[in-house]
Amino acid sequence: MSTELLKEIATCIERGKVNAASPYPPDMKGKEGADELVKKALDQGIPASEILEKALIVGMSAIGQKFSRNEVFVPDVLMAAKAMQAAMKHLRPFFDSGEAKHRGTFIIGTVQGDLHDIGKNLVAMVIEGGGYKVVDLGVDVSPEKFVDAVKQNPGASVGLSALLTTTMINMEKTVKLVKEAMPGTKVIVGGAPLTQEFADKIGADAYSPDPQGALEFLNRTN
Ligand code: B1M
């Protein structure tokens, strides 16, 4: 019974079915969505961590992998993220109170001078859907602000996003200062102009061209 409900929630996340009122996707019109089903699961006594692990992560991972394979596109991931936010609204209190545990903490931001945040937000949502606490520092984030966040969240991993060839060079200073302030901190970088070669050159621990790769890196290192 609970397995069926968790499967249904995973499908809602993957397909971007937010709630019963949402007409999207058309073939699920009129059916309950992530919002109602997660509440139902909690009312049935299913622990928040189990709902996260066996439903939200499953759904987000499925859409993330399809996005990596170019089988779905940005709007599909945005709808999945919307469904996930509706689900997380019910689960977040359990994580905030410490009753349920995150897999780790991920600090993310778009680097100094850069205002592009669509890709960064997608990465943040997939990582949150992967069971991590996400500290989103926003856009135009200075190296010092990343360092402060790392000091406030010991053990966290850091993600840097850049969309401009003129701002990707700001990543190098951020990687250097973060690693000086908190040696051992894992830093992953991404964004359209980046390459593995560039990531290696600036001393980042990893590069990913997409959100799923960033999540897989965190799962390997946390
Ligand atoms: Co700008 N812009 N833009 N822009 N913009 C680009 C990036 C550009 C390629 C357009 C072009 O000229 N063809 C060009 C950069 C050229 C270059 O540097 N080589 C450019 C420019 C020049 C500029 C301005 C300088 C324009 C001007 O004012 N003269 C200016 C700069 C402002 C600033 O940042 N200081 C500017 C402004 C803007 C808007 C504000 C209008 C808007 C941003 C709105 C916003 O983000 N809220 C904007 C947009 C929308 C774009 C394009 C059209 C789309 C970017 C986007 O959102 N893509 C872009 C052209 C293009 O890409 N076609 C362009 C969709 C998004 C899902 O993809 O961000 O790549 P992306 O993220 C991907 C991956 O890269 C990866 O995962 C995501 C999902 O797959 N990823 C990570 C991203 N971060 C990651 C981190 C990870 C892992 C993976 O780990 C931590």
Side-chain angles (χ1 to χ4, degrees), residues 107-110 120 135-142 145-147 149:
I107 298 164
I108 189 167
T110 305
K120 183 266 296 167
V135 178
D136 188 343
L137 301 178
V139 295
D140 190 16
V141 182
S142 67
K145 203 168 168 198
F146 277 107
V147 169

Side-chain angles (χ1 to χ4, degrees), residues 67 74 106 108 113-120 122-123 158-167 188-193 207-211 214:
F67 185 65
V74 170
F106 183 60
I108 189 167
D114 201 322
L115 302 175
H116 295 85
D117 68 356
I118 299 169
K120 183 266 296 167
L122 285 180
V123 176
V158 175
L160 310 178
S161 179
L163 261 284
L164 300 170
T165 44
T166 48
T167 58
I188 175 161
V189 295
Y207 156 73
S208 172
D210 54 42

Side-chain angles (χ1 to χ4, degrees), residues 121-215:
N121 292 345
L122 285 180
V123 176
M125 288 172 207
V126 169
I127 303 281
E128 186 177 24
Y132 292 82
K133 176 184 169 191
V134 172
V135 178
D136 188 343
L137 301 178
V139 295
D140 190 16
V141 182
S142 67
E144 292 75 17
K145 203 168 168 198
F146 277 107
V147 169
D148 285 347
V150 168
K151 285 182 179 163
Q152 280 163 27
N153 295 277
S157 304
V158 175
L160 310 178
S161 179
L163 261 284
L164 300 170
T165 44
T166 48
T167 58
M168 61 190 250
I169 50 173
N170 295 335
M171 287 179 159
E172 185 163 11
K173 186 175 173 200
T174 306
V175 173
K176 187 169 171 279
L177 290 191
V178 161
K179 287 187 174 279
E180 268 171 23
M182 200 69 88
T185 303
K186 297 276 183 269
V187 182
I188 175 161
V189 295
L194 271 83
T195 59
Q196 180 66 54
E197 194 188 357
F198 177 77
D200 293 341
K201 186 174 150 269
I202 65 169
D205 296 284
Y207 156 73
S208 172
D210 54 42
Q212 190 62 23
L215 176 60

Side-chain angles (χ1 to χ4, degrees), residues 73 82 117:
F73 302 100
K82 246 186 135 180
D117 68 356

